[in-house]
Amino acid sequence: MQVRIGVQFVPKELVVETAETAEEVQRALGDALAEERGVLVLKDQRGGRVVVPADRVGYLEITEEEGRTVGFGGSQYA
């Protein structure tokens, strides 16, 4: 799953590929926002972590991955 995070005062968004579900990501943000100085922590697929102060998150876009085709258009040569 891909998560895009818009951070206030940062011109580029953060893009994280994670194995967490959409519900887990939403819950993590909700829990972080509930704390006074909470931080959003997401684990990426390579074992790293992305840590963002929760009060600086402008938006969170969660995209479920679709099956990807490999090659130049796929089905023509199947």
Side-chain angles (χ1 to χ4, degrees):
M1 156 169 325
Q2 186 179 78
V3 179
R4 294 178 184 268
I5 306 168
V7 181
Q8 294 176 0
F9 311 114
V10 177
K12 290 184 130 185
E13 64 188 9
L14 299 173
V15 179
V16 181
E17 294 285 337
T18 183
E20 296 180 40
T21 66
E23 290 77 24
E24 290 171 327
V25 172
Q26 280 184 266
R27 190 175 321 113
L29 179 59
D31 292 346
L33 287 169
E35 296 179 23
E36 186 174 330
R37 299 183 78 161
V39 293
L40 172 62
V41 180
L42 295 178
K43 296 177 188 173
D44 70 13
Q45 288 185 337
R46 296 180 180 170
R49 294 182 187 189
V50 175
V51 180
V52 179
D55 63 346
R56 296 291 181 223
V57 173
Y59 66 87
L60 202 67
E61 180 182 318
I62 303 168
T63 306
E64 303 276 341
E65 285 190 24
E66 299 175 2
R68 296 184 182 190
T69 60
V70 177
F72 297 100
S75 63
Q76 179 180 346
Y77 301 105

